[in-house]
Amino acid sequence: DTGVSQDPRHKITKRGQNVTFRCDPISEHNRLYWYRQTLGQGPEFLTYFQNEAQLEKSRLLSDRFSAERPKGSFSTLEIQRTEQGDSAMYLCASSFPPQRNEQFFGPGTRLTVL
Amino acid sequence: GNSVTQMEGPVTLSEEAFLTINCTYTATGYPSLFWYVQYPGEGLQLLLKATKADDKGSNKGFEATYRKETTSFHLEKGSVQVSDSAVYFCALNRDDKIIFGKGTRLHILP
């Protein structure tokens, strides 16, 4: 097992375009999290899943953002009508009870909106 | 609300110097506390953790002690190396979400 993977690692898009990112968690982990990290800041929580159920969404997640985890394995994060303010690193993490307070992070997808 | 405050960087030290990065937190109850490290071009890695008061987390020569009375979790290392150059994040886990500080960039000179 190689840990949490994310694809793509980098994405450059024009304002107004839609983008989709993928996260593959560690195989036995049933919780999956999305965070956003802007330059010079720590990561901020966006949303998380337990299996296929989305349990919580942050206020940061506007209605242009949607996340899915259809089969309880990989997850996708879609941003519609991107804005320059969406430029950030999008991080995925996973965890497995009973050690669910420890989350393992992927390398992130860096989004640049021109 | 829950929050983490850590000393601002960048912090520049010479190799073999003693390191302290201060971290304090505000939280209800007794959260787990963490230090994560982000090396250039890499993802976040868990450096160490502590789950209850007076616990000491340690890894790779780094240590931090969960101090409930001062709500602190300061990171220390007795002798830093050039390879320790990275960004360090103090964090807490509350309600299954990790709340991070802003990060402290550490630069070690040979």
Side-chain angles (χ1 to χ4, degrees):
Chain A
D1 180 49
T2 56
V4 178
S5 61
Q6 293 187 245
D7 184 70
R9 295 291 304 276
H10 304 274
K11 179 70 177 179
I12 299 174
T13 190
K14 293 182 178 179
R15 190 177 51 177
Q17 299 293 305
N18 298 343
V19 294
T20 300
F21 311 140
R22 176 178 170 129
C23 171
D24 287 88
I26 294 171
S27 58
E28 67 270 22
H29 287 191
N30 65 347
R31 288 202 169 193
L32 185 149
Y33 307 79
W34 286 100
Y35 292 81
R36 181 173 68 188
Q37 184 179 16
T38 54
L39 201 61
Q41 302 294 316
E44 295 173 294
F45 169 81
L46 293 178
T47 188
Y48 83 103
F49 295 82
Q50 177 163 302
N51 300 313
E52 64 274 12
Q54 188 172 17
L55 297 187
E56 187 173 345
K57 294 195 293 185
S58 161
R59 288 189 303 274
L60 294 174
L61 216 63
S62 76
D63 52 11
R64 295 185 297 106
F65 288 71
S66 62
E68 294 183 341
R69 194 181 183 201
K71 296 182 180 179
S73 56
F74 73 91
S75 175
T76 57
L77 178 67
E78 180 182 18
I79 309 174
Q80 296 183 325
R81 306 181 302 281
T82 52
E83 301 172 356
Q84 288 186 324
D86 297 330
S87 295
M89 178 77 86
Y90 290 84
L91 298 168
C92 178
S94 67
S95 70
F96 178 69
Q99 294 154 336
R100 67 186 192 194
N101 66 355
E102 185 172 332
Q103 298 178 13
F104 296 84
F105 283 80
T109 294
R110 181 169 296 283
L111 172 67
T112 302
V113 181
L114 301 176
Chain B
N2 301 309
S3 66
V4 175
T5 302
Q6 61 183 106
M7 65 188 289
E8 294 196 14
V11 173
T12 302
L13 296 172
S14 297
E15 202 166 25
E16 299 183 3
F18 184 85
L19 169 71
T20 299
I21 300 178
N22 290 335
C23 171
T24 57
Y25 67 90
T26 301
T28 54
Y30 305 100
S32 294
L33 301 176
F34 306 89
W35 278 98
Y36 280 85
V37 59
Q38 191 170 36
Y39 296 104
E42 298 185 16
L44 280 169
Q45 299 177 25
L46 179 65
L47 180 60
L48 53 84
K49 68 176 182 179
T51 57
K52 62 183 187 296
D54 299 324
D55 266 2
K56 177 185 283 187
S58 61
N59 186 25
K60 299 182 180 179
F62 291 89
E63 293 183 339
T65 301
Y66 191 144
R67 300 288 188 200
K68 178 172 170 288
E69 63 276 12
T70 55
T71 61
S72 65
F73 194 54
H74 305 320
L75 182 69
E76 296 182 336
K77 186 173 184 181
S79 176
V80 292
Q81 306 300 312
V82 172
S83 58
D84 294 327
S85 298
V87 181
Y88 292 81
F89 293 93
C90 185
L92 63 85
N93 187 306
R94 199 76 190 123
D95 299 327
D96 294 323
K97 296 182 288 294
I98 295 186
I99 297 167
F100 290 88
K102 291 187 176 182
T104 303
R105 182 173 297 279
L106 175 64
H107 186 50
I108 306 301
L109 301 174

